[in-house]
Amino acid sequence: MKNGINLPRGEKPEEAGRSGLNAVSLAGLGIGGVIGAGFFLGSGLAVREAGPSVSIAFLIGGVMMMQVLGAMTSINVNRLERGSFRVYVEQFLGSYAGFLVGWAVFISSILGIGSEAIAMGVFVHFWMPHIALPILATTFTGIIILLNLMDMKQFGRIESGMAAVKALAILLFIFLGGYAFLTQLGFTSSSPFSSAHAFFPTGFSGLFQSMLVVVFSFSGISAVAMAATEVSNPRVEIPRATRYLSFGSISLYVLAMLVLVMITPWNTVSTKKSPFVHAFDVIGMDWAAEGLNVIILLAAFSVMAASYFASIQLIVSLSVAKKGPRLFLQHSSRGFYRNAWMAVGLGVLIVVGLSFLLPSNLYSYLVSASSYFTFLNWTLNLITYLLWRKNKGEKETFESRLIWGRLGAYGTILSILILFVISLRVHDFQLGFYAFLGFVIVISISYFFWSRRNLHRIQQQ
């Protein structure tokens, strides 16, 4: 079985998963999709907006992510189906909502993979400044396309290994950075904790404006939902994996950001290189900066691989549901969906190709556009959870402890709406919103023609 998406005809998801992933592998896939360039590079954008209070922004973003993941897990364990959240949204919100969220998440994933490729170019540019960034990004895109030819079981092991390496790298940064702060810097008058203004230099508005980037850093949780049908014991392993993912990523993110703003002046951070590499340069640990840059490169590889996997899962699911071209259902005798694999690769190459034409802040545009798709996806999933909770069957007894019931769902939806309005005050985010809006319009028009075509077929029958 290739890519983890290929169920032989007539095989049920729960049957397919019996020899698949366990909680550690699934959590590794999730962490592989979460901890990547969105954090190691994109967090620089958030620091520039919020200053030291960015650590609070990551805590808030983590709680929001936890509510969404809890909502998805609650439904998924009770109604395990390939396509997961897209299928559930359609069941409770109708055909258009399912069509919209399916293709919106697919486009968001393509944009996310493209942003990771560009970030990888930034990281390698650290060593090879004479090679143009778009060339580096295109090269890494080609490598990740080939990597997704691997068997799912081996792929899960690699993702778990990469997740462990990334987690250890963040822990090492927390330890070394904390040690440097205590021995070299300390709580002086210039410390971010010396006053309220020092901790909130851009005010609460800056904290909220940074949330769009923070949400992008948590957007990879979809990989867990898409891989759920590959789990050996879904009712046990999925909840366990989501707990590992939630508490692990939130703890690492918040602690790392606290250490970062303690040892680095927040207004010196940029997206020309990782803020964590910059922090090691500031405290004179050049050897650590070099090592961390290598690990960050692996992190971007890991996220691209996880996102690519999820994208193939999703486009096949859309085609199975007759909401995508039938050509994506064609597969080899071993169940490899070559056309879906090629379509994802082509989409990413187009996004990366734009880096040859558009200005250097293309990364910011990709982050913001992808984040607006995440806002849409999270909102629809939370609404679906609320409807499922109201109409669930007698045997659907499992509910994740990650989500705080209706209060958590409504509170997160309200938070998303507030953050959406506030984010539009940032110029680069506005351009990302226009791109997001354009894609939504195209998806909606496509649904109109798709529904008319289906209606015509039904009438002919």
Side-chain angles (χ1 to χ4, degrees):
M1 181 174 61
K2 297 268 186 178
N3 295 324
I5 61 174
N6 316 308
L7 300 178
R9 293 179 184 178
E11 184 176 2
K12 296 179 181 179
E14 59 270 23
E15 294 171 344
R18 284 174 186 162
S19 61
L21 303 173
N22 58 22
V24 175
S25 296
L26 184 60
L29 189 63
I31 292 176
V34 170
I35 303 178
F39 178 64
F40 283 119
L41 181 65
S43 58
L45 295 172
V47 173
R48 296 287 295 185
E49 292 292 334
S53 65
V54 71
S55 54
I56 296 179
F58 271 94
L59 180 60
I60 296 172
V63 172
M64 292 172 62
M65 177 274 292
M66 190 170 68
Q67 302 307 297
V68 177
L69 189 57
M72 295 169 73
T73 302
S74 297
I75 305 175
N76 215 10
V77 169
N78 289 293
R79 302 188 176 202
L80 189 61
E81 292 189 45
R82 189 172 65 174
S84 59
F85 58 87
R86 184 205 61 77
V87 175
Y88 309 137
V89 167
E90 181 170 337
Q91 287 175 353
F92 288 95
L93 294 177
S95 179
Y96 170 70
F99 189 94
L100 175 63
V101 76
W103 284 105
V105 172
F106 176 75
I107 293 172
S108 175
S109 183
I110 296 297
L111 295 177
I113 298 170
S115 71
E116 295 287 333
I118 292 171
M120 289 174 72
V122 172
F123 301 147
V124 175
H125 207 257
F126 179 78
W127 296 302
M128 303 177 180
H130 57 285
I131 301 179
L133 191 151
I135 294 176
L136 293 171
T138 304
T139 301
F140 291 126
T141 300
I143 293 172
I144 212 68
I145 290 173
L146 295 176
L147 184 63
N148 266 265
L149 287 169
M150 295 182 63
D151 179 78
M152 178 59 194
K153 203 168 185 179
Q154 187 68 21
F155 178 69
R157 292 195 189 103
I158 291 175
E159 279 297 300
S160 297
M162 286 185 175
V165 169
K166 288 185 289 186
L168 288 173
I170 296 176
L171 287 172
L172 184 63
F173 172 80
I174 293 170
F175 174 77
L176 291 177
Y179 176 78
F181 176 77
L182 294 174
T183 58
Q184 299 179 25
L185 304 172
F187 293 92
T188 64
S189 58
S190 60
S191 168
F193 305 103
S194 60
S195 66
H197 177 72
F199 194 73
F200 295 94
T202 59
F204 284 103
S205 61
L207 185 153
F208 292 130
Q209 287 173 1
S210 73
M211 287 297 300
L212 195 67
V213 180
V214 171
V215 165
F216 176 74
S217 298
F218 285 107
S219 61
I221 60 171
S222 296
V224 172
M226 296 305 299
T229 54
E230 299 297 330
V231 175
S232 55
N233 187 351
R235 201 170 188 86
V236 174
E237 304 291 354
I238 293 176
R240 185 180 297 168
T242 54
R243 289 196 299 271
Y244 294 162
L245 170 60
S246 297
F247 296 114
S249 59
I250 293 172
S251 299
L252 289 173
Y253 276 8
V254 173
L255 288 174
M257 296 313 296
L258 279 172
V259 171
L260 176 67
V261 297
M262 286 192 299
I263 63 178
T264 307
W266 69 272
N267 53 3
T268 65
V269 172
S270 72
T271 55
K272 299 298 181 182
K273 62 179 178 179
S274 168
F276 299 97
V277 173
H278 172 68
F280 277 136
D281 286 337
V282 169
I283 60 178
M285 293 185 179
D286 296 339
W287 61 272
E290 292 276 353
L292 185 60
N293 207 56
V294 173
I295 294 172
I296 289 173
L297 188 62
L298 292 174
F301 259 118
S302 178
V303 170
M304 285 180 72
S307 299
Y308 203 108
F309 160 76
S311 298
I312 296 173
Q313 283 269 39
L314 188 53
I315 199 170
V316 170
S317 171
L318 286 165
S319 298
V320 168
K322 298 182 179 179
K323 290 179 172 59
R326 291 184 57 82
L327 63 92
F328 295 134
L329 296 178
Q330 297 175 11
H331 56 80
S332 68
S333 58
R334 292 185 297 172
F336 173 51
Y337 287 80
R338 183 177 292 105
N339 291 338
W341 169 76
M342 291 175 61
V344 174
L346 179 61
V348 176
L349 286 171
I350 291 173
V351 172
V352 173
L354 292 175
S355 62
F356 286 90
L357 305 174
L358 296 180
S360 59
N361 53 350
L362 172 63
Y363 180 78
S364 301
Y365 303 154
L366 290 175
V367 167
S368 55
S370 184
S371 297
Y372 285 118
F373 278 115
T374 300
F375 276 164
L376 175 65
N377 178 29
W378 284 9
T379 301
L380 290 177
N381 272 280
L382 289 166
I383 294 173
T384 300
Y385 163 78
L386 289 169
L387 292 174
W388 167 81
R389 204 168 185 269
K390 184 178 180 180
N391 300 286
K392 62 183 178 180
E394 293 182 2
K395 295 183 178 180
E396 296 178 356
T397 57
F398 173 81
E399 189 160 358
S400 173
R401 295 179 182 178
L402 294 178
I403 186 168
W404 304 333
R406 288 181 297 177
L407 177 62
Y410 282 119
T412 304
I413 292 171
L414 179 61
S415 299
I416 289 172
L417 292 175
I418 294 172
L419 295 175
F420 167 73
V421 173
I422 293 175
S423 69
L424 293 178
R425 298 172 58 183
V426 181
H427 180 262
D428 284 356
F429 295 169
Q430 291 174 1
L431 296 176
F433 170 72
Y434 295 143
F436 158 76
L437 186 61
F439 280 122
V440 170
I441 291 173
V442 170
I443 293 171
S444 299
I445 293 173
S446 300
Y447 174 78
F448 172 76
F449 286 106
W450 172 85
S451 58
R452 285 193 61 181
R453 183 179 179 184
N454 272 12
L455 180 61
H456 180 67
R457 284 180 178 177
I458 293 172
Q459 289 174 342
Q460 284 185 329
Q461 293 174 355

